[in-house]
Amino acid sequence: MKNLGVRAEGRVTYWSIAGIAPRDALAAVAANLHLPNVPELGPALALRAALKEVFPETRHLVRPTGERSRLALVNEQVRPGNDPEYTVLFTASVDGEDDATVSIDRPGYATRIQEAFEGALRGVPTEVVSQWLTQVMRHLGAVRLRESGGVYWVPSAGTDAGEWPGIARAINGALAAGSVIYTLSTAWDESSIHSVHAALTREVESESAELQEAIAARPGVRARETQAVRYAALDDKITRYEAILGESLERLRRVAATAMLGRTAAALAGADIEPLALPDTAVPA
């Protein structure tokens, strides 16, 4: 089934992010390499990021409250054989817009949280850097080797951003001290092909299921346009990996096309909805 005669260059990639990255430096790398824009945080999101920065332990959860712009830091305690217990440690809110300050009902943490909040407004917090890198992986056509994410196989070339190792070096140069993107080259053998193929299969099946749910939930014209764009991107990715893996991926193409063909059938049944146009590469189920 698999063609070992095809030589695919790629890297296994994961990262460790620490501290707040300088926004200007990271944004400049993104712009120069045609990568997704680095998100800018408003006061509410900056407060959430600050709380996560000061309290990074998994037992600490940031949750909304009934008040606008106020968040609660909640401690989750799990004892074997019992349901989790949740305790609100304190709440925090943002006062003002231009010169926003943080007010909390636990004064002992005020200075640390205010400093983290101001840093989040100026820079890019750890959580946001990780989310942005996940967008970069999608932009570059990577596949998740681990189902929950965090470890990817990234094709080395084939995008307008250039080759991935060079991109990774540029991003590393813009991250905060202690942060690093790791890229590992591996032999392109039967095991590598199987791993990439399995990862792509999971991703196509998951994306197609999400696409079908979105189609059922939002039948409007604008939503249909968004769904068509998502389908086209997925179909393009399958085409790219046919070249990388050196084999036909017709079954995966059918999985993706069926999501759209299901929508088309439903549209034809309604008098006021026109069917979506599918790309020429769609394979009917």
Side-chain angles (χ1 to χ4, degrees):
M1 179 180 71
K2 300 176 177 63
N3 184 359
L4 292 175
V6 175
R7 176 66 183 175
E9 295 294 337
R11 297 289 189 278
V12 173
T13 298
Y14 60 98
W15 51 79
S16 175
I17 306 299
I20 296 178
R23 178 176 300 280
D24 291 346
L26 198 59
V29 169
N32 291 337
L33 296 177
H34 310 288
L35 300 175
N37 292 331
V38 177
E40 292 190 14
L41 300 186
L45 291 177
L47 176 58
R48 177 179 292 275
L51 291 173
K52 287 182 174 291
E53 196 78 30
V54 177
F55 300 94
E57 296 87 351
T58 56
R59 62 188 174 89
H60 287 142
L61 311 174
V62 179
R63 293 290 182 262
T65 66
E67 299 180 40
R68 185 172 178 267
S69 299
R70 180 172 290 276
L71 298 173
L73 185 73
V74 177
N75 183 72
E76 180 185 52
Q77 188 173 35
V78 180
R79 293 188 178 93
N82 295 295
D83 293 334
E85 297 179 3
Y86 299 94
T87 305
V88 176
L89 301 180
F90 61 82
T91 64
S93 64
V94 177
D95 300 324
E97 288 292 335
D98 296 332
D99 297 317
T101 59
V102 176
S103 63
I104 68 174
D105 52 19
R106 185 70 67 87
Y109 294 109
T111 299
R112 290 173 61 195
I113 293 174
Q114 181 67 36
E115 290 175 349
F117 171 74
E118 293 173 358
L121 288 175
R122 293 193 307 269
V124 188
T126 299
E127 182 182 27
V128 179
V129 172
S130 290
Q131 292 170 352
W132 177 72
L133 287 173
T134 300
Q135 294 177 6
V136 170
M137 294 295 97
R138 179 182 289 271
H139 176 75
L140 297 176
V143 291
R144 299 187 302 269
L145 295 178
R146 188 172 63 185
E147 196 165 353
S148 60
V151 182
Y152 298 83
W153 187 84
V154 190
S156 290
T159 72
D160 56 1
E163 295 196 353
W164 168 237
I167 298 171
R169 285 193 296 271
I171 296 174
N172 274 331
L175 296 177
S179 298
V180 62
I181 299 172
Y182 298 96
T183 62
L184 310 176
S185 63
T186 59
W188 190 244
D189 55 17
E190 185 76 21
S191 177
S192 298
I193 294 175
H194 174 78
S195 297
V196 171
H197 189 286
L200 180 67
T201 298
R202 287 195 304 269
E203 188 167 312
V204 170
E205 291 175 346
S206 175
E207 289 275 343
S208 297
E210 290 178 8
L211 184 59
Q212 281 187 308
E213 290 178 4
I215 285 167
R218 301 184 62 192
V221 174
R222 289 187 179 179
R224 298 208 311 271
E225 292 174 352
T226 300
Q227 294 148 13
V229 170
R230 287 181 61 184
Y231 170 78
L234 188 58
D235 188 74
D236 287 347
K237 188 168 189 176
I238 294 170
T239 298
R240 184 179 182 191
Y241 273 85
E242 283 182 325
I244 289 172
L245 295 169
E247 61 176 286
S248 171
L249 298 174
E250 182 175 318
R251 191 191 76 80
L252 295 186
R253 200 179 298 281
R254 287 180 181 275
V255 169
T258 296
M260 297 304 295
L261 289 171
R263 172 65 178 91
T264 303
L268 288 172
D272 58 341
I273 302 177
E274 295 182 1
L276 283 172
L278 297 178
D280 293 339
T281 52
V283 179

